[in-house]
Amino acid sequence: MYAFLLLCLLLAIPASLAWLVRPDLRLMAGRMAVVSLPFALTERLFYPTYWETRFLFDLVDRIGFGIEDVLFVTTLAVFTSIGWAAVTRMRFVGPAGLGPAAWRRGGTVLGGCLLAGVIAWGLGWPMIHVSPGIMAGAGALVGWRRPDLWGPGLGSAALTVLVYTAVCLALQALVPGVFGLTWHAQRFSNLFVAGVPLEEVVYAAGAGWIGAVFYPYVAGLRWERLE
């Protein structure tokens, strides 16, 4: 059962809708998708401890991650970076390019996340709990530097939770009992939201938060309502 692949295809629906309705934000969404690619390499931090799903061509056992990981991180990056703007009819205004300061800000945020992840991994903490904490922490630090991004970040977190939970419920409807068959939630919180493991919901919140504020912070962009 290719539950992860099906999850990615379902998640691609809202991401594609956001991409289609906001062509002005496609460049930013594309750049966020590229930034997300290294996170596809982290699958071994979750598999098989947190879940055991089939991968196309058994790539996770061959190289440590799969095509599904690439699809998941890029699709999630596209949605979280522009979904809130699409729903609230907002746009970003500011510098068109990425100067040296932007690269420094981006490197600082990503480097801090990497360092926190390495420390947590070294301490043996479950990465399914650590990763949303790192994303939320990075979002909070961005909000401290840019208070105007608190609203969009938290709004995106809430929106991503709603959309991702709906995607998970659709997966559950298509594959009854999928979360009991594929996920090992009982080894972690053993808590569920409408049958969806709490870890999935919390992960969505963290991704929605940092996904909406990272690029505006790095590029020095601000929000403005569409006329």
Side-chain angles (χ1 to χ4, degrees):
M1 176 175 55
Y2 294 96
F4 194 12
L5 178 61
L6 184 54
L7 177 66
C8 293
L9 295 177
L10 291 170
L11 183 59
I13 296 173
S16 298
L17 288 174
W19 177 277
L20 288 172
V21 302
R22 293 302 302 272
D24 58 309
L25 299 177
R26 289 175 185 172
L27 177 61
M28 180 177 68
R31 287 175 172 174
M32 283 295 291
V34 172
V35 169
S36 74
L37 285 173
F39 295 98
L41 306 178
T42 64
E43 178 59 51
R44 274 297 186 182
L45 299 176
F46 306 95
Y47 174 93
T49 305
Y50 175 61
W51 68 344
E52 292 182 81
T53 181
R54 291 188 66 187
F55 286 79
L56 290 171
F57 313 114
D58 295 322
L59 286 181
V60 71
D61 295 316
R62 298 173 185 269
I63 60 175
F65 69 98
I67 296 171
E68 295 88 343
D69 292 298
V70 175
L71 292 174
F72 181 79
V73 297
T74 54
T75 304
L76 188 61
V78 168
F79 179 78
T80 58
S81 62
I82 65 174
W84 180 250
V87 169
T88 59
R89 290 186 53 78
M90 301 291 285
R91 66 178 178 179
F92 298 106
V93 295
L98 297 175
W103 289 100
R104 285 196 300 271
R105 287 191 289 265
T108 299
V109 174
L110 293 176
C113 290
L114 176 61
L115 177 61
V118 169
I119 292 173
W121 175 76
L123 293 173
W125 295 350
M127 290 308 298
I128 191 58
H129 292 161
V130 170
S131 53
I134 291 175
M135 291 187 287
L141 287 174
V142 168
W144 174 64
R145 296 295 302 272
R146 285 280 305 277
D148 60 300
L149 293 177
W150 274 103
L154 294 176
S156 176
L159 175 65
T160 305
V161 165
L162 291 175
V163 170
Y164 188 74
T165 301
V167 166
C168 289
L169 291 176
L171 175 64
Q172 190 168 239
L174 292 171
V175 186
V178 65
F179 292 109
L181 295 171
T182 305
W183 275 255
H184 298 311
Q186 72 278 3
R187 298 180 185 175
F188 298 90
S189 71
N190 201 29
L191 298 174
F192 299 83
V193 178
V196 179
L198 179 63
E199 284 79 5
E200 294 295 308
V201 177
V202 175
Y203 185 94
W209 191 345
I210 190 60
V213 303
F214 177 80
Y215 191 87
Y217 169 68
V218 168
L221 304 177
R222 57 184 176 82
W223 288 80
E224 182 180 89
R225 186 166 295 280
L226 287 171
E227 297 184 2

